[in-house]
Amino acid sequence: MSDSETPADGGPRDFIRDIIRADLAAGRMAAPVTRFPPEPNGYLHIGHAKSICLNFGIAREFGGRCHLRFDDTNPVKEEMEYINSIQADVRWLGFDWGEHLYFASDYFDRLYEWAEHLIHAGKAFVCDLSAEQMREYRGTLTEPGRESPHRGRSIDENLDLFRRMRAGEFPDGARVLRAKIDMASGNINMRDPVLYRILHARHPRTGDAWCIYPTYDFTHGQSDAIEQITHSICTLEFEDHRPLYDWLIENLPVPSTPHQYEFARLNITYTVLSKRRLIQLVTEGHVKGWDDPRLPTLSGYRRRGFPPAAIREFAARIGVSKSNATMEVAALEACARELLNRTALRRMAVLRPLKVVIENYPAGESETLDAVNNPEDEAAGVRAVPFSRELYIEREDFMEDPPKKFFRLAPGREVRLRYAYFVTCTEVIKDAAGQVVELRCTYDPATRGGNAPDGRKVKATLHWVSAAHALDAEVRLYDHLFARPDPGADGDVMDDLNPDSLEVLTGCKLEPALADAPKDYPVQFERLGYFTPDPDWTDAAPVFNRTATLRDAWAKAQARG
Ligand code: ATP
Ligand code: MG
């Protein structure tokens, strides 16, 4: 947060919370009532999370309440699948609407009455212009619009036509109901905006009851008023709609007078947040579904293993402002890393195994060594890790002909196996093609636990897994879905997809304790990153997703130049 001053109530500070504090101080309400109003035409993404944390957060901090309201006025694009996923995702993020679950479609009767109310007051009319004509009449930012030839219709004629629209007498697009405001207004939204359109489409909740549907503008503020919302918080693109929002509230017999406030929407690097694009990525098969861990959807983050607390922390850090900006995806990952460093269990896993035989360790024997579960959390305790004559280490931890700065294993060199012993490489075994397939080593029994009694030092500590005890697993490594921070900035977004966004490793070797890894929380594979079991997991074939690397590899690469 940019403002370091802490308000008296101890909560976060931003311009919206300041407005609420002022309204409370002035006695304009007893407690704030907010709402999160998704349109059920896609899955929730990280941008929605910002809005959810803001709306539900305010309700929590100020003793108010937050409604979950489905803005379901467009029957063509909306589905039950989305309604269900949105509820699951809001809950997963840690918020609860209690009994306050609403649907704009529940207000269709009242909205219809209010439309007739405007007609009776001479403030709405039925217009027969085609969509194209209406565009022509609307004018531009610099030119006023022209009045529709149907604007002068009598109240009776308007009522009659509107009722016949509702009765299904006319085809889609034949007529609309428009507010009668001001075709010369500098704000195009005030130039006799459309309130109702004809759409012979089955609605997921109201079925065939309606063949006319209210527009977003005619629905949103009135739904807020019905629910006694005090602060209707939306993104900046609705700023120009606010005069219309206020006009409708003033001109209708609504039960309360909500106000709209706008904040900047969230954008993040290396991804897209538009629902249209996300749907395209899913339907065209660029990803494997809405919960693909590469997507910025909440279900994608869940599958990838992101703790919801990391997303809430990210929302708190980016704060709320009035200027649009793009946030670094690295900042989101940093929130996950900081949390997981404190809370994730440490385990050993070898992703690209290279076999090591300890020649002076007796065949057929094994022992267990104590390994710390989390150095950041003493209460997490220790576990027993089996050690034996045949082990796996990471292929990249060995070089036959190492350059100066490579301190890990090499012929003749001694390194530490974490929690275990010092080992020295004595022989390199290759296949016919010259590929290293096995190392022969010796261990020093005096170094049990990883320290030499004579005080001699080694320059590297490697993770390892005992071959006889290892669990075989698949590990999925994810990278940014797009190859550039600003996908689509010069050309088609889809041309910027990162061809290497998913790497699947099979035959990975895990220490046996990972069979019991928590299924919904990451563990740290030592030296490698944070990993979470995927729902595809079976006991016969464990699968892990990489949740986050240990450090920001992209930042590191940039620093190297
Ligand atoms: P899109 O433009 O991708 O279709 P939308 O804004 O139409 O998204 P809605 O379902 O209408 O999606 O959004 C529900 C709520 O979430 C709205 O109040 C909207 O302002 C907010 N929201 C959507 N996207 C973002 C974002 N990127 N950052 C912050 N809030 C957002
Ligand atoms: Mg919307």
Side-chain angles (χ1 to χ4, degrees):
M1 214 176 12
S2 54
D3 197 331
S4 57
E5 216 184 309
T6 306
D9 50 44
R13 159 144 256 171
D14 54 59
F15 78 96
I16 290 184
R17 287 174 167 92
D18 283 347
I19 290 169
I20 288 171
R21 286 183 183 101
D23 288 348
L24 283 168
R28 280 189 280 269
M29 73 216 165
V33 183
T34 56
R35 84 286 171 267
F36 173 64
E39 189 181 345
N41 61 350
Y43 278 58
L44 296 182
H45 55 60
I46 187 79
H48 293 116
K50 176 178 178 179
S51 175
I52 294 167
C53 290
L54 178 61
N55 281 294
F56 281 93
I58 284 171
R60 193 177 278 176
E61 287 150 37
F62 295 98
R65 61 174 202 266
C66 180
H67 299 181
L68 175 61
R69 183 201 309 148
F70 287 100
D71 188 3
D72 59 346
T73 54
N74 184 352
V76 183
K77 289 189 195 163
E78 296 165 2
E79 288 172 27
M80 280 315 288
E81 178 194 352
Y82 300 137
I83 290 178
N84 295 333
S85 76
I86 287 169
Q87 296 187 54
D89 287 346
V90 174
R91 281 212 188 87
W92 174 74
L93 201 52
F95 297 103
D96 188 2
W97 51 90
E99 71 230 40
H100 298 288
L101 173 64
Y102 301 104
F103 292 83
S105 57
D106 288 345
Y107 308 139
F108 281 173
D109 284 321
R110 209 139 12 144
L111 291 170
Y112 179 84
E113 280 165 34
W114 285 339
E116 288 209 352
H117 176 94
L118 285 181
I119 295 174
H120 280 293
K123 290 173 181 166
F125 67 100
V126 172
C127 182
D128 307 350
L129 293 181
S130 67
E132 195 183 321
Q133 288 170 317
M134 236 184 328
R135 248 191 313 278
E136 239 170 73
Y137 276 72
R138 193 186 299 133
T140 63
L141 285 173
T142 50
E143 279 169 54
R146 281 180 293 140
E147 293 187 352
S148 159
H150 313 112
R151 202 176 197 260
R153 275 180 171 148
S154 71
I155 290 173
D156 285 343
E157 189 183 359
N158 280 321
L159 267 183
D160 173 61
L161 286 172
F162 188 50
R163 287 175 182 167
R164 286 163 61 196
M165 278 169 64
R166 179 189 185 170
E169 283 191 30
F170 311 116
D172 289 3
R175 297 197 149 93
V176 293
L177 183 74
R178 296 173 72 177
K180 199 187 282 188
I181 309 181
D182 179 9
M183 289 308 290
S185 172
N187 183 337
I188 290 179
N189 292 295
M190 298 298 272
R191 295 182 187 169
D192 294 1
V194 173
L195 307 180
Y196 266 92
R197 59 229 194 274
I198 301 173
L199 210 54
H200 291 267
R202 201 183 158 74
H203 187 281
R205 298 190 86 248
T206 58
D208 295 320
W210 296 89
C211 63
I212 57 171
Y213 289 94
T215 55
Y216 170 86
D217 284 318
F218 193 63
T219 309
H220 204 86
Q222 284 63 264
S223 304
D224 288 339
I226 291 168
E227 294 175 21
Q228 314 266 333
I229 301 297
T230 58
H231 296 76
S232 180
I233 304 165
C234 61
T235 40
L236 280 176
E237 66 273 22
F238 290 101
E239 200 168 9
D240 289 345
H241 293 242
R242 181 159 21 100
L244 175 56
Y245 183 104
D246 291 341
W247 186 91
L248 288 165
I249 294 293
E250 269 163 39
N251 285 284
L252 289 171
V254 288
S256 76
T257 52
H259 290 279
Q260 176 184 299
Y261 303 90
E262 308 89 14
F263 70 101
R265 63 195 294 126
L266 170 67
N267 291 298
I268 54 174
T269 52
Y270 295 101
T271 193
V272 292
L273 291 184
S274 122
K275 276 190 207 159
R276 192 169 62 85
R277 289 301 183 191
L278 295 176
I279 289 174
Q280 188 184 357
L281 287 165
V282 173
T283 54
E284 290 180 4
H286 301 291
V287 294
K288 292 177 188 158
W290 282 102
D291 66 348
D292 188 298
R294 291 167 292 180
L295 284 181
T297 53
L298 296 187
S299 48
Y301 288 116
R302 176 166 59 227
R303 184 162 189 173
R304 189 165 135 193
F306 253 64
I311 294 177
R312 293 195 301 269
E313 173 62 20
F314 175 66
R317 281 189 199 175
I318 59 176
V320 181
S321 81
K322 274 240 171 226
S323 50
N324 281 313
T326 299
M327 298 294 153
E328 299 285 338
V329 69
L332 171 62
E333 286 163 3
C335 290
R337 246 179 237 124
E338 284 171 34
L339 174 64
L340 294 175
N341 181 48
R342 281 183 273 120
T343 55
L345 294 174
R346 271 55 168 179
R347 294 290 182 261
M348 291 199 286
V350 174
L351 299 189
R352 297 174 180 89
L354 174 61
K355 192 168 184 186
V356 171
V357 178
I358 312 286
E359 295 202 295
N360 57 339
Y361 197 91
E365 275 187 28
S366 69
E367 65 187 298
T368 60
L369 296 151
D370 282 348
V372 174
N373 281 329
N374 183 356
E376 307 286 324
D377 175 12
E378 218 175 300
V382 295
R383 69 191 183 281
V385 181
F387 184 89
S388 63
R389 180 180 158 90
E390 295 194 357
L391 313 169
Y392 292 107
I393 64 165
E394 210 68 60
R395 195 161 266 284
E396 64 170 36
D397 281 339
F398 172 80
M399 280 185 91
E400 192 176 13
D401 190 11
K404 255 205 170 107
K405 287 202 171 147
F406 186 89
F407 299 115
R408 292 166 275 166
L409 198 58
R413 189 179 287 174
E414 185 172 54
V415 297
R416 175 189 295 109
L417 294 183
R418 190 141 165 84
Y419 309 117
Y421 295 99
F422 284 13
V423 296
T424 304
C425 176
T426 52
E427 193 187 343
V428 180
I429 296 175
K430 298 180 183 173
D431 63 13
Q435 260 258 54
V436 177
V437 290
E438 187 181 307
L439 303 178
R440 296 269 157 169
C441 292
T442 56
Y443 85 119
D444 177 356
T447 58
R448 191 170 200 274
N451 290 302
D454 63 3
R456 79 181 186 276
K457 299 274 183 249
V458 287
K459 285 198 172 149
T461 301
L462 309 186
H463 61 274
W464 53 275
V465 170
S466 165
H469 304 87
L471 215 62
D472 276 313
E474 176 179 319
V475 175
R476 300 172 185 169
L477 306 180
Y478 302 98
D479 202 341
H480 298 144
L481 185 53
F482 290 91
R484 54 185 290 168
D486 49 355
D490 46 45
D492 185 354
V493 185
M494 295 298 160
D495 292 341
D496 293 331
L497 279 165
N498 174 10
D500 304 317
S501 59
L502 171 62
E503 185 181 358
V504 178
L505 301 176
T506 53
C508 303
K509 302 290 181 180
L510 314 182
E511 70 164 273
L514 280 166
D516 306 318
K519 293 292 176 284
D520 57 354
Y521 204 80
V523 290
Q524 186 192 98
F525 289 177
E526 294 209 29
R527 300 176 64 226
L528 297 174
Y530 297 98
F531 294 79
T532 310
D534 186 84
D536 287 345
W537 173 298
T538 63
D539 287 343
V543 183
F544 278 89
N545 293 318
R546 183 167 67 195
T547 308
T549 51
L550 283 186
R551 276 170 296 277
D552 180 3
W554 287 68
K556 226 169 53 183
Q558 269 159 359
R560 270 202 307 268

